[in-house]
Amino acid sequence: MSLLNQVEAALDTIRPYLEADGGNVSVEEITPENVVKLKLLGSCGSCPMSIMTLKAGIEQAIKKAVPEITAIEAINLTDIDDPNAVLPENLR
């Protein structure tokens, strides 16, 4: 199984939780140094808690399933103080 397929399989274990809040994630790139670059989609892309989602959920799932991965980076994290950030409960 390719590295990308392994990462996607790891993400599939947490996607239902992201989708429950109107979000998702896509793999944009895996660098030669085995750094996964992700794009947070939907409400995950505009949520001020996206850094927590990335670190506590996404990063842990990938590193547990694919130990070859050296780092996980989101290319579109929303700062917690961003006035344009949207919390999931505000999407309803």
Side-chain angles (χ1 to χ4, degrees):
M1 183 183 287
S2 74
L3 210 52
L4 176 60
N5 287 343
Q6 291 177 65
V7 169
E8 288 288 356
L11 290 173
D12 285 344
T13 67
I14 60 166
R15 275 199 171 99
Y17 305 105
L18 300 174
E19 291 168 347
D21 283 328
N24 208 332
V25 62
S26 69
V27 177
E28 298 296 305
E29 175 185 8
I30 299 176
T31 71
E33 297 80 24
N34 287 349
V35 175
V36 177
K37 298 201 177 199
L38 302 172
K39 185 172 186 180
L40 301 174
L41 305 172
S43 63
C44 288
S46 60
C47 177
M49 296 306 291
S50 58
I51 185 69
M52 293 299 295
T53 301
L54 177 70
K55 292 294 179 187
I58 298 170
E59 186 173 294
Q60 293 302 311
I62 293 173
K63 285 189 169 184
K64 180 179 178 186
V66 194
E68 303 93 322
I69 296 301
T70 57
I72 293 93
E73 299 174 0
I75 62 172
N76 63 328
L77 273 182
T78 300
D79 187 84
I80 197 156
D81 296 321
D82 186 332
N84 297 314
V86 177
L87 292 171
E89 63 266 15
N90 295 339
L91 296 174
R92 296 187 181 102

